[in-house]
């Protein structure tokens, strides 16, 4: 992988936060998988830099950072920490935003913090909406999309719903956002959560018609999905992202009956017996496990080779595409 990776690259999808931001009491509904919280209790900016130093010796990695996306944490404290880290280390960053924010609160918060846009998440949809019925507009509402479009800002979108990328409601709203808000820089995280072939359906046939939205492949290790993505949108609309710190997980991901399963060394992450996405393995099999990060990059390497991507294409995916996106917003903000 060392020779496959460019000398410098941009990680478009990373979380940094402190455990001190955790709230003492919360009645927040659980609307997401819980296994990521087993990997890291916190991820200060120093830990992020150390992860890159250890995992990518000799490479220069620039992260785009944002905070935790959970109601169990103080969102304002997380955003302030990210803003300060970004200013100190000259990093691009996104503000974690809430759908209840007015257009003016939303815009002023992003501008005041020096953010390039927003990171939104289904956890922040109104608590009365059942998880399976959450739609994109429930946590990225039109009045905020209008601000993002007018300012040419970025939105990092983790799509909801059990159907993941192939869900017709998700696809309809993604297409509508592209059509109605053409100046918005929309990033679809995790290739739309298509972690297994069964998550794809006819999504890439539909998404091949799009022109603006881009896709990061963070926390995804499925070469088949990556191949279909490359065929549908080409290497200019794909971004490397990690979703650190969870990519420090020692794991190999497999798919069984359309569900992803993370194979992990027995005992390393506590009791995982109640999590359908986690399975412990032992002895030689466990000893051979590497990091989630390497599994993700290697899966993309295999897909890139199968689709005939050249060196220039790889540099676009890992560096130039993200840099162009970030630079276009920075230029607008400075005008």
């Amino acid at each position: 992988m060392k020779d496959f990776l460019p000398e410098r690259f941009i990680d478009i999808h990373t979380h940094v936060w402190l455990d001190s931001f955790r709230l003492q009491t919360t009645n927040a509904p659980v609307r997401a998988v819980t296994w990521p919280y087993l990997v890291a209790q916190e991820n200060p900016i120093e830990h992020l830099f150390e992860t890159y130093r250890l995992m990518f010796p000799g490479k220069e990695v620039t992260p785009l950072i944002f905070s935790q996306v959970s109601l169990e944490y103080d969102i304002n404290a997380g955003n302030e920490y990210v803003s300060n880290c970004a200013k100190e280390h000259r990093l691009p960053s996104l503000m974690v935003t809430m759908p209840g924010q007015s257009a003016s609160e939303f815009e002023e918060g992003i501008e005041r913090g020096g953010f390039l846009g927003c990171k939104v998440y289904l956890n922040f949809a109104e608590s009365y909406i059942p998880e399976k019925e959450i739609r994109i507009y429930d946590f990225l509402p039109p009045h905020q999309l209008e601000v993002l479009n007018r300012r040419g800002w970025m939105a990092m979108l983790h799509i909801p719903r059990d159907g993941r990328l192939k869900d017709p409601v998700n696809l309809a709203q993604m297409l509508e956002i592209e059509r109605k808000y053409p100046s918005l820089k929309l990033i679809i995280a995790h290739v739309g959560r298509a972690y297994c072939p069964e998550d794809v359906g006819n999504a890439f046939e539909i998404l091949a018609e799009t022109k603006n939205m881009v896709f990061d492949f963070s926390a995804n290790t499925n070469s088949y999905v990556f191949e279909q993505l490359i065929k549908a949108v080409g290497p200019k609309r794909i971004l490397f992202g990690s979703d650190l710190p969870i990519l420090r997980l020692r794991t190999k991901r497999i798919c069984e009956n359309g569900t992803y399963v993370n194979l992990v060394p027995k005992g390393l992450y506590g009791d995982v017996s109640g999590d359908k996405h986690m399975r412990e393995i032992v002895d030689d099999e466990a000893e051979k496990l590497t990091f989630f990060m390497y599994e993700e990059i290697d899966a993309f390497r295999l897909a890139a080779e199968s689709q005939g991507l050249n060196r220039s294409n790889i540099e676009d995916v890992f560096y130039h595409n993200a840099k162009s996106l970030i630079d276009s917003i920075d230029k607008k903000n400075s005008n």
Side-chain angles (χ1 to χ4, degrees), residues 1 13 20 36 69 85 98 156 235 253 264 271 332-333:
M1 268 186 296
H13 193 131
S20 60
V69 286
C85 289
M98 309 286 282
M156 176 68 72
R253 178 173 285 183
V264 297
D271 182 8
K332 280 193 173 220
N333 286 347

Side-chain angles (χ1 to χ4, degrees), residues 15-146:
H15 298 265
V16 294
W17 78 98
L18 303 179
D19 189 53
S20 60
F21 302 155
R22 186 187 295 270
L23 301 173
Q24 295 303 311
T25 58
T26 177
N27 296 316
V30 178
R31 288 164 155 172
V33 293
T34 55
W35 62 262
Y37 296 99
L38 301 175
V39 182
Q41 189 171 339
E42 62 177 2
N43 194 42
I45 192 70
E46 295 82 7
H47 287 194
L48 182 64
F49 291 149
E50 179 68 357
T51 301
Y52 292 139
R53 187 186 72 81
L54 293 169
M55 287 193 163
F56 302 115
K59 305 290 187 181
E60 177 187 328
V61 189
T62 301
L64 180 145
I65 59 174
F66 38 86
S67 191
Q68 264 291 15
V69 286
S70 168
L71 288 167
E72 294 183 355
Y73 292 84
D74 184 328
I75 302 300
N76 291 330
N79 283 329
E80 184 178 2
Y81 177 69
V82 167
S83 177
N84 290 337
C85 289
K87 289 170 184 172
E88 180 182 352
H89 299 283
R90 301 177 64 84
L91 300 175
S93 62
L94 298 178
M95 178 178 172
V96 173
T97 56
M98 309 286 282
Q101 291 173 304
S102 68
S104 60
E105 289 174 320
F106 178 82
E107 184 170 11
E108 288 165 9
I110 292 173
E111 193 158 38
R112 185 173 59 251
F115 300 106
L116 301 183
C118 65
K119 164 62 178 173
V120 298
Y121 202 68
L122 60 94
N123 281 344
F124 304 138
E126 291 286 358
S127 59
Y128 64 78
I129 305 174
E131 180 187 349
K132 294 179 185 297
E133 297 178 21
I134 294 174
R135 299 183 177 202
I136 293 169
Y137 292 144
D138 291 324
F139 57 99
L140 182 55
H143 69 273
Q144 295 179 357
L145 284 162
E146 288 166 8

Side-chain angles (χ1 to χ4, degrees), residues 164-262:
R164 302 176 185 269
L165 186 63
K166 71 175 182 289
D167 183 277
V169 174
N170 281 335
L171 288 168
Q173 293 194 333
M174 288 161 65
L175 292 176
E176 186 174 54
I177 289 170
E178 163 132 337
R179 186 177 69 253
K180 292 179 71 173
Y181 310 103
S183 295
L184 160 65
K185 313 299 191 295
L186 182 66
I187 303 175
I188 306 299
H190 319 300
V191 196
R193 299 169 60 237
Y195 300 128
C196 295
E198 291 86 349
D199 297 327
V200 172
N202 68 338
F204 288 123
E205 296 169 30
I206 294 169
L207 294 169
E209 316 257 332
T210 62
K211 304 293 183 190
N212 297 329
M213 69 179 70
V214 297
F215 300 79
D216 84 31
F217 55 92
S218 59
N220 197 324
T221 65
N222 198 288
S223 288
Y224 168 80
V225 171
F226 296 163
E227 288 172 6
Q228 302 311 303
L229 176 65
I230 293 167
K231 288 178 183 177
V233 305
K236 286 287 191 181
R237 289 167 55 199
I238 302 173
L239 308 173
F240 166 68
S242 67
D243 209 6
L244 278 169
I246 69 167
L247 262 73
R248 298 190 335 225
L249 185 74
R250 279 192 61 203
T251 190
K252 181 176 180 62
R253 178 173 285 183
I254 61 172
C255 287
E256 289 183 347
N257 302 315
T259 298
Y260 74 85
V261 180
N262 300 321

